[in-house]
Amino acid sequence: MDKLIVHGGATLRGAINISGSKNASLPILAATLLTAEDCIIRRVPDVSDTNYMIQILSALGGDVERSSGTVRATCADIVDHAPYELVRRMRASICVMGPLLARKGRCVVSLPGGCVIGDRPVDLHLRGLEALGAKIEFEGGNITLTAKDGLRGAEIDLRGTHGPTVLGTDNVMMAATLAEGITIIESAAAEPEVLDLANFLNSMGAKITGAGTRRIVIEGVKELHGIEHTVIPDRIEAGTFMAAAALAGDGVILRRVCRDHLKAITAAIEQSGHRVDFNEAGDICTVHRSEITRGVNIVTAPYPGYPTDMQAQMTALLATTPGISVIKDTIFPQRFMHCAELKRMGADIRVDNGTAVVHGVAQLSAAPVMASDLRASAALVLAALTAKGSTEISRLYHIDRGYEHIDEKLLMLGADVERVKDH
Ligand code: EPZ
């Protein structure tokens, strides 16, 4: 296993390119199961989550190869049983359910386990697929869905107690593309990644309207064909580097971003006193760190609200921002693993009932810390950038799940980091 050593105190300068979106790539890769023809997908980040999905497609019988950021997938002869060994390692594997069911009339996928950010139920996915006509059985930790006579369009409300479901919306939307008749999804997730998937599906010949809003309408078609597609920029990677620039930067430039997807993150960073300038096209931003900053209140919410995937990173920034900040995660109320580690570095944070109250301190100090989940790990890297001394972050594989070459990008910005083997 690798660990990252971050020597605090370096000032970040210069420019980096933001990678393609992990969370758009995963359902789009799964959507290649809906056709027997070649699909070419560009700007798929080289991270372990997308590589797991590529392995799952291959294990299902797909002919898949990656060359740098471009993946070619041809899922001509596929089986309907996703391999437990791979599925158990990544919760997002659940998004092969919809396409497999639509293409094969049956699919067997293992129930995803929980994870450190909280319970990861799939009841809303199943509610939607059942409404399209799937029969559902649970056996030996697997979910088996069958629709011998094919799927039929339905009106479905996918709202859950914590709001819409991103992958649940993806699963139902993908299944509905080949269903008989019209499907209406109410309370749909409106994340940019859902819209990117819908654009991919429409290029394949699907008939989807309303993606990116709470109400999506899908008119089923007989079959879908292969296409070429470029994935949208990763707004969470961009947000993570915006927070790094606000913490330790001096005019850091991020290229290949999408201003529209970053509104809530930009607002939070500017509310705490920093400035973010975008170019005319909105695909390049410059973050200007300010010395006069203040605490802010953050409440995560479904898009276009403040993303839960940027909650830990903002907590790291606010840990050394003067004043009191209150951060509430309404989507994953248990997603505060990073706070215990930040407190070991000297942060003053009290977590209670899905809310963290942060009193900004002057400076954190280095300590050996352990990554726990993707975004918590990123928060520790951010905190280490300005901590006194050298911080060792172990279990780096958590970061490698969703950040493409994070150490190399930080080095390009002048951070003093090194990736070493953790014996
Ligand atoms: C997606 O996960 C993202 N993953 C997550 O990012 C992100 O945190 C999450 O959406 C919320 O924005 C990918 O896109 C691959 P949900 P997803 O279904 O779709 C509850 C990262 O760091 N729920 O939108 O699995 C659920 O417990 C990852 O990149 C049900 O109750 O999340 C949660 O409280 C982490 N029943 C809320 O809904 C269900 O059937 C939102 O979950 C499904 C979800």
Side-chain angles (χ1 to χ4, degrees), residues 22-24 26-27 49 90-95 115 117-127 158 160-170 189 191 193 234-236 301-303 307-309 330-333 335 373-375 402-403:
K22 163 181 88 83
N23 288 354
L26 292 171
D49 272 11
M90 180 179 66
R91 143 128 186 128
S93 321
I94 198 77
C95 68
C115 63
I117 68 176
D119 184 18
R120 306 299 295 274
V122 292
D123 57 303
L124 301 174
H125 298 242
L126 300 178
R127 178 200 296 175
L158 277 184
T161 47
H162 292 280
T165 164
V166 172
L167 290 180
T169 301
D170 294 346
E191 272 66 7
E193 294 77 26
D234 193 310
R235 62 192 168 101
I236 304 302
Y303 192 87
T308 173
D309 290 351
T330 65
I331 295 175
F332 291 115
R335 195 175 194 172
D373 76 273
L374 173 54
R375 307 305 176 182
Y403 288 93

Side-chain angles (χ1 to χ4, degrees), residues 56-61 78-85 87 96 100 104 106-110 139-144:
I56 289 170
L57 294 182
S58 306
L60 286 168
I78 51 170
V79 297
D80 60 20
H81 192 143
Y84 168 71
E85 257 322 292
V87 168
V96 303
L100 271 184
K104 302 289 289 179
R106 180 178 184 272
C107 85
V108 183
V109 180
S110 77
E139 196 197 337
N142 281 337
I143 311 169
T144 302

Side-chain angles (χ1 to χ4, degrees), residues 217-403:
V217 181
I218 304 109
E219 182 186 341
V221 295
K222 281 274 168 275
E223 63 176 9
L224 298 175
H225 51 80
I227 49 136
E228 303 201 12
H229 181 83
T230 301
V231 165
I232 56 171
D234 193 310
R235 62 192 168 101
I236 304 302
E237 185 197 22
T240 303
F241 277 100
M242 287 164 75
L247 257 168
D250 178 17
V252 167
I253 298 169
L254 305 179
R255 293 199 191 95
R256 296 179 134 187
V257 297
C258 175
R259 174 178 45 206
D260 289 355
H261 300 165
L262 293 167
K263 285 182 179 158
I265 299 168
T266 303
I269 287 184
E270 292 196 322
Q271 212 184 6
S272 68
H274 310 286
R275 203 176 84 240
V276 183
D277 290 336
F278 286 89
N279 67 340
E280 186 65 28
D283 59 358
I284 298 173
C285 74
T286 306
V287 181
H288 303 279
R289 185 166 64 87
S290 162
E291 293 302 336
I292 303 145
T293 53
R294 69 191 76 84
V296 296
N297 292 343
I298 301 269
V299 180
T300 67
Y303 192 87
Y306 189 87
T308 173
D309 290 351
M310 270 299 297
Q311 180 261 104
Q313 300 92 313
M314 199 65 194
T315 305
L317 171 60
L318 296 170
T320 54
T321 298
I324 295 178
S325 300
V326 180
I327 300 134
K328 182 175 175 55
D329 199 324
T330 65
I331 295 175
F332 291 115
Q334 296 162 281
R335 195 175 194 172
F336 290 99
M337 295 293 290
H338 46 290
C339 292
E341 296 299 290
L342 290 172
K343 283 157 76 172
R344 296 186 59 244
M345 296 174 72
D348 179 352
I349 305 177
R350 193 166 38 79
V351 179
D352 186 29
N353 194 18
T355 300
V357 177
V358 183
H359 288 248
V361 296
Q363 186 179 24
L364 299 181
S365 46
V369 290
M370 196 177 290
S372 56
D373 76 273
L374 173 54
R375 307 305 176 182
S377 324
L380 298 179
V381 176
L382 297 184
L385 290 172
T386 55
K388 189 160 164 295
S390 301
T391 302
E392 288 198 6
I393 299 156
S394 55
R395 300 189 177 180
L396 209 49
Y397 58 86
H398 286 294
I399 291 195
D400 293 335
R401 294 191 60 144
Y403 288 93

